[in-house]
Amino acid sequence: MAEEVSSQMNSLSISETNPSSSATISLVSGDDIVFKVEPTIAKEMETVQSFIDETDGKITTIPLPNISSHDLPYVIEYCEKSIAGKITKEFEAEFVKKLNNEEVKELFLAANYLNIKKLLDFLSQVIADRIANKSVEYVRRYFGIENDFTPEEEAKLREELAWTFTGVDPDDEDEN
Amino acid sequence: MSLKSIVSELKGINNRISKLCSGSKSVAIDVTPTEPFQQGQWASLPPELLSDIIRRLEESETSWPERTVLIFCASVCKSWRSVTKEIIKTPQQRGQITFPISLKLPGPRVYAMRCFIKRNKKTSTFLLYLDSVPAENESSKLLLAAKRIRRTKFVISLAADDFSRARNKYVGKLRSNFWGTKFTVYDGHHYPSIFDETLSPSQELKGKRPMKDSFSVSLSEPLERKHNAPGWDEQRLLRFLDDKEHAVVSSIKKYELLAVLNGSRNVSPLEQENVILHFGKTPTKDIYIMDYYYPLSAFQAFAICLTAM
């Protein structure tokens, strides 16, 4: 266990910058930037924690090739708040205000990859909120998805969509 | 210790974690971090994540026009359509109208699907809206439209401005005898029809009205009219009555359709009698209430109401 290694005997000799230090976990982003975090933060990231557990805490540097150095600080920030029990509606609102659609998307995939349930739940709701009442085109653009329907299926979809608008004014395209 | 050497040491563990994160390539830990931020990550969104997003929308967007987002989700691409279709509950399960197909599926058993009908005498058209009372800003969702072609014949369409049989707005038709005492509802089957996805075999609904204020219809499960039963939603009528101080409840024209399940099936006596349709005039001119239950669909209930117009 990580905690057991850092006994009083050798704690003085362990430098904070030593990547193999048991006191911190080094998360290495896809673009090779090292982020040092407390073991408690790593615990929030199930994927990272199971990685550590697999090696009985001997390995404390974890490569995360799918997460950029741009996104990782957001993930860490959320986990820190989570540990402190300070995930409030206000915090979440502020947190998401800073993020553009691309960042929300990347964090969502990062949360899935790291298996951080709370963050995943939260971002899933953010995405649901962001696509609510948007057009098909908007959703396609937002997710970068290509339309793969056949012309016959398209004709059917147009009828379905036309029906949804009956009695309703088509809503404006989103500003994004 | 260099990152590379740690990486090579961890190869075995990486493989195990990769398996844990099975699914899209983009989520697996790759020991050689080349192009970790490839494009199209979003398109390969793991299905469970997409399901989660759509489920949230299904639960939160329970009224129109907000509910259109679910139809949008089902129009994005094939995989989105199948995920969305899996999540959307039928009207019987959730009491929600989502896709046009819901108009031909049975309503819920325990509570009513509440609709109103707006009549336009000049154009001989009847519009069915999803709402217990007309919304103030006229934003109620239009479900179906009917036009009286002859005294005894109605065409039912998805759009208020298109009653052509050749077009794919066509939903079905209704014929009755001269006195309106017998009627048949025909389910339209046209190609390309937006109804052909998950619909049960075509069902013809026949019925007769032996008395002016009662109906009997035959469905796949035989039903017959028993008697007028209590259960009319007085509360809802009162909402109409608020506008018209002098209106009297007893003056409200109403019909009730009772279902009796025939045969020796294992149904308790309580379950044998179910109101499946309420239809009534309201104090507001040309506005009628239509509440329907299982096993009627919106289309069938609307057709039955038309015979009384």
Side-chain angles (χ1 to χ4, degrees):
Chain A
M1 299 299 263
E3 291 88 333
E4 285 168 2
V5 182
S6 77
S7 64
Q8 276 196 323
M9 283 285 286
N10 57 13
S11 64
L12 289 170
S13 65
I14 291 173
S15 134
E16 276 190 25
T17 52
N18 182 348
S20 62
S21 159
S22 58
T24 61
I25 306 290
S26 297
L27 303 175
V28 186
S29 70
D31 44 351
D32 284 348
I33 308 290
V34 179
F35 292 82
K36 292 188 185 307
V37 297
E38 295 298 314
T40 49
I41 299 281
K43 273 210 173 68
E44 292 289 295
M45 307 172 182
E46 272 189 43
T47 305
V48 170
Q49 188 57 40
S50 62
F51 201 98
I52 295 164
D53 292 346
E54 290 270 358
T55 60
D56 292 330
K58 289 193 189 90
I59 301 295
T60 53
T61 300
I62 321 284
L64 302 170
N66 288 312
I67 303 175
S68 73
S69 57
H70 177 81
D71 300 332
L72 201 48
Y74 287 116
V75 176
I76 293 168
E77 182 192 355
Y78 192 90
C79 290
E80 280 169 349
K81 285 282 176 184
S82 176
I83 295 160
K86 286 181 179 162
I87 302 281
T88 59
K89 288 263 173 270
E90 291 72 27
F91 166 72
E92 287 190 330
E94 279 300 311
F95 185 82
V96 78
K97 216 192 268 177
K98 295 181 287 195
L99 305 172
N100 64 31
N101 286 343
E102 201 59 23
E103 290 166 330
V104 169
K105 167 167 94 185
E106 276 168 13
L107 285 185
F108 188 50
L109 293 173
N112 184 49
Y113 170 67
L114 295 171
N115 206 356
I116 309 168
K117 185 130 195 349
K118 271 186 214 162
L119 183 58
L120 197 60
D121 269 3
F122 165 55
L123 292 172
S124 185
Q125 190 59 52
V126 169
I127 294 164
D129 293 344
R130 287 196 179 182
I131 64 172
N133 306 316
K134 299 297 195 302
S135 68
V136 180
E137 273 311 312
Y138 178 88
V139 177
R140 278 190 193 136
R141 273 205 312 279
Y142 184 91
F143 289 90
I145 296 172
E146 296 231 352
N147 174 6
D148 61 354
F149 290 111
T150 64
E152 290 78 21
E153 288 168 328
E154 280 264 17
K156 218 154 99 171
L157 295 178
R158 269 197 297 278
E159 291 301 328
E160 219 173 63
L161 288 169
W163 176 78
T164 61
F165 289 125
T166 50
V168 177
D169 291 331
D171 45 8
D172 297 332
E173 261 304 83
D174 191 76
E175 60 284 355
N176 293 335
Chain B
M1 201 188 281
S2 80
L3 174 65
K4 282 232 166 82
S5 65
I6 294 164
V7 160
S8 58
E9 266 181 1
L10 293 177
K11 245 181 182 171
I13 299 156
N14 280 339
N15 289 343
R16 291 194 57 182
I17 291 176
S18 299
K19 273 175 208 155
L20 288 173
C21 310
S22 66
S24 111
K25 269 179 252 163
S26 59
V27 296
I29 290 182
D30 195 334
V31 287
T32 48
T34 47
E35 291 183 4
F37 315 112
Q38 73 269 36
Q39 286 223 319
Q41 272 196 332
W42 218 207
S44 62
L45 188 66
E48 66 273 17
L49 296 189
L50 179 58
S51 288
D52 192 66
I53 294 169
I54 294 174
R55 190 167 293 112
R56 286 166 196 274
L57 290 167
E58 213 276 333
E59 282 163 16
S60 62
E61 310 304 326
T62 53
S63 58
W64 289 88
E66 292 78 15
R67 213 163 165 76
T68 47
V69 68
L70 292 162
I71 297 185
F72 290 162
C73 287
S75 308
V76 169
C77 65
K78 285 179 179 175
S79 63
W80 276 56
R81 187 169 185 84
S82 67
V83 169
T84 309
K85 288 262 174 180
E86 263 172 44
I87 287 166
I88 302 296
K89 304 280 192 296
T90 63
Q92 191 186 332
Q93 293 169 309
R94 266 295 294 274
Q96 289 284 350
I97 298 277
T98 313
F99 296 98
I101 186 81
S102 337
L103 301 170
K104 289 196 173 178
L105 296 174
R109 284 173 193 268
V110 283
Y111 53 93
M113 286 298 289
R114 293 179 158 183
C115 307
F116 70 88
I117 298 171
K118 201 172 171 184
R119 179 176 68 173
N120 186 328
K121 267 188 169 168
K122 271 188 203 155
T123 56
S124 295
T125 53
F126 302 84
L127 305 180
L128 177 70
Y129 290 92
L130 181 70
D131 238 333
S132 55
V133 291
E136 276 179 21
N137 50 1
E138 300 199 341
S139 66
S140 297
K141 170 80 191 110
L142 178 70
L143 298 180
L144 289 166
K147 188 173 177 69
R148 194 195 290 267
I149 304 297
R150 288 195 297 273
R151 192 187 139 79
T152 57
K153 189 181 166 190
F154 293 86
V155 172
I156 300 172
S157 163
L158 284 180
D161 56 356
D162 189 350
F163 293 96
S164 158
R165 274 202 68 169
R167 306 287 291 277
N168 39 22
K169 307 274 188 216
Y170 178 78
V171 181
K173 66 178 179 180
L174 166 76
R175 274 175 193 275
S176 66
N177 67 2
F178 183 78
W179 299 276
T181 54
K182 281 189 178 172
F183 58 87
T184 308
V185 181
Y186 298 92
D187 212 328
H189 278 268
H190 277 249
Y191 185 81
S193 166
I194 57 173
F195 294 112
D196 60 9
E197 266 182 84
T198 50
L199 194 61
S200 53
S202 173
Q203 192 180 51
E204 236 176 54
L205 176 78
K206 287 182 185 292
K208 49 183 194 274
R209 274 198 296 146
M211 293 181 294
K212 200 170 176 279
D213 63 345
S214 65
F215 293 107
S216 80
V217 293
S218 56
L219 289 159
S220 47
E221 284 180 345
L223 308 166
E224 67 182 58
R225 193 193 74 87
K226 257 290 207 49
H227 53 77
N228 280 328
W232 182 245
D233 190 342
E234 299 290 347
Q235 283 294 71
R236 195 169 141 215
L237 277 178
L238 288 173
R239 263 188 280 167
F240 280 103
L241 293 171
D242 280 344
D243 305 332
K244 303 235 169 189
E245 272 181 36
H246 303 296
V248 182
V249 178
S250 62
S251 74
I252 289 166
K253 186 179 167 188
K254 69 174 180 185
Y255 297 95
E256 284 190 347
L257 183 67
L258 297 189
V260 180
L261 297 173
N262 290 341
S264 56
R265 290 185 207 179
N266 296 332
V267 276
S268 71
L270 265 177
E271 283 176 329
Q272 279 182 359
E273 283 186 21
N274 291 308
V275 177
I276 60 173
L277 177 66
H278 284 303
F279 170 60
K281 205 175 179 180
T282 71
T284 312
K285 194 169 175 280
D286 292 328
I287 300 285
Y288 300 81
I289 293 172
M290 180 188 108
D291 292 352
Y292 71 95
Y293 300 77
Y294 181 91
L296 289 182
S297 66
F299 167 63
Q300 290 169 330
F302 185 42
I304 293 166
C305 294
L306 290 172
T307 67
M309 295 287 207

